[in-house]
Amino acid sequence: MTQAQLAQGASPLLAVRDVSVVFGGIVALNGVSFDMHKGQILGLIGPNGAGKTTLFNCLSRLYQPSSGDILMDGVSILSRPPHRIAEIGIGRTFQNVALFPNLSVMDNVRVGAHAKTSSDIISDSLRLAWVRRSETSINRKVQEILAYLGLEDVAHTVVSGLPFGTQKRVELARALAADPKILLLDEPAGGLNHEEVYVLGDLIRKIRSERHMTVLLVEHHMGLVMSIADHVVALNFGKKLAEGTPAQVQADPDVIKAYLGSKDQ
Ligand SMILES: Nc1ncnc2c1ncn2[C@@H]1O[C@H](COP(=O)(O)OP(=O)(O)OP(=O)(O)O)[C@@H](O)[C@H]1O
Ligand SMILES: [Mg+2]
């Protein structure tokens, strides 16, 4: 969707409305609002401590905003617990990889695929036909995702023995396995070398177009954000500082000032 089409008022897939989060005396987010449209790659930037991960944690329901609302397709998600967020199509990766270190790559990805299925303990124990069918479709799904991300060769390797860059890819695989509509990526380029960042950028774009996802990308790597995001929101000290196209945000005097005053750049 072009920026012009967006300006014509298509209703947002995700709407963050005046969200504030207070921890004790610390205001981690202060009245933040923005929209995410279907098919967009939205970059969320800001110096350390700006509130980016806090916002992610609100979207994935690990944190409850002190005020404000978050709407998906016009419906508030704030009454949903974190384990019921995959069902409505929100998937995420973590800033610090959060995999099961002693499980294989395949089993970690399988956990992601299970997050989406609605099987329960009674159906599982009765081994109902539809549960068996869903196991088969989960296996198929896991194989497909592993192939898509080039992880087949390490499918049976225990995650803790893999390089950090590969572990990040496994996290991405786990998030994709739940077929999210919205993919939340918290610093996917952290710890990657120049070549790997470039490959990751292409991969995120490919995921967006081939798997029809909307991506919220938190990143310190400005080169990556500015080359793949359609729209950028900049935070500083919990407040929205600027938003617009990558070029607009990069040229914004407040954004330049915030970054000059931080150690990020
Ligand atoms: N669980 C928590 N309890 C108390 N304070 C918190 C908690 N989580 C975050 N904060 C505080 O909220 C502010 C925003 O933190 P947050 O982790 O969201 O920043 P960030 O933009 O993700 O930073 P970084 O780029 O370093 O990852 C910081 O002052 C942080 O110390
Ligand atoms: Mg963070």
Side-chain angles (χ1 to χ4, degrees), residues 21-24 26-29 45-57 63 95 186-187 218 220 235 238 264:
V21 175
V22 182
F23 297 112
I26 298 169
V27 184
L29 285 177
I45 63 166
N48 291 118
K52 305 179 298 292
T53 298
T54 302
L55 182 66
F56 254 51
N57 286 339
Y63 291 169
Q95 183 167 350
D186 198 353
E187 299 204 24
V218 163
H220 279 294
L235 298 179
D264 288 342

Side-chain angles (χ1 to χ4, degrees), residues 25-235:
I26 298 169
V27 184
L29 285 177
N30 190 350
V32 171
S33 298
F34 62 89
D35 287 344
M36 247 175 102
H37 290 272
K38 196 166 183 294
Q40 232 176 13
I41 296 178
L42 192 144
L44 184 63
I45 63 166
N48 291 118
K52 305 179 298 292
T53 298
T54 302
L55 182 66
F56 254 51
N57 286 339
C58 291
L59 293 172
S60 57
R61 304 297 306 111
L62 293 174
Y63 291 169
Q64 185 71 0
S66 317
S67 61
D69 206 352
I70 300 172
L71 310 161
M72 186 159 164
D73 284 325
V75 179
S76 177
I77 66 165
L78 294 188
S79 55
R80 273 185 182 267
H83 64 275
R84 298 211 43 211
I85 211 72
E87 286 168 24
I88 55 166
I90 297 181
R92 72 170 290 174
T93 65
F94 289 82
Q95 183 167 350
N96 303 308
V97 168
L99 295 164
F100 295 104
N102 300 322
L103 292 185
S104 69
V105 168
M106 184 181 263
D107 285 341
N108 269 281
V109 178
R110 200 187 297 276
V111 171
H114 268 285
K116 190 65 183 290
T117 59
S118 51
S119 130
D120 57 56
I121 291 167
I122 296 170
S123 321
D124 272 348
S125 57
L126 292 173
R127 300 297 292 161
L128 295 178
W130 69 267
V131 175
R132 283 198 299 276
R133 268 202 306 279
S134 83
E135 272 303 316
T136 312
S137 73
I138 282 174
N139 287 337
R140 211 177 296 132
K141 180 89 211 166
V142 170
Q143 295 295 349
E144 186 265 325
I145 299 280
L146 292 176
Y148 191 75
L149 293 181
L151 290 167
E152 304 119 302
D153 290 352
V154 291
H156 300 289
T157 307
V158 168
V159 155
S160 61
L162 291 169
F164 188 66
T166 313
Q167 293 193 18
K168 293 208 109 169
R169 196 168 272 242
V170 176
E171 266 225 322
L172 182 57
R174 183 177 61 178
L176 289 184
D179 269 331
K181 287 187 203 159
I182 299 178
L183 183 61
L184 310 173
L185 303 175
D186 198 353
E187 299 204 24
L192 303 187
N193 66 33
H194 183 73
E195 173 63 21
E196 288 169 332
V197 171
Y198 183 77
V199 171
L200 176 71
D202 277 350
L203 180 62
I204 295 171
R205 265 199 294 234
K206 188 169 113 159
I207 289 170
R208 179 261 297 269
S209 51
E210 292 181 357
R211 307 184 86 90
H212 312 290
M213 284 182 197
T214 304
V215 180
L216 181 60
L217 170 70
V218 163
E219 234 340 302
H220 279 294
H221 195 292
M222 281 309 140
L224 176 64
V225 177
M226 297 305 172
S227 64
I228 71 168
D230 308 297
H231 193 78
V232 176
V233 172
L235 298 179

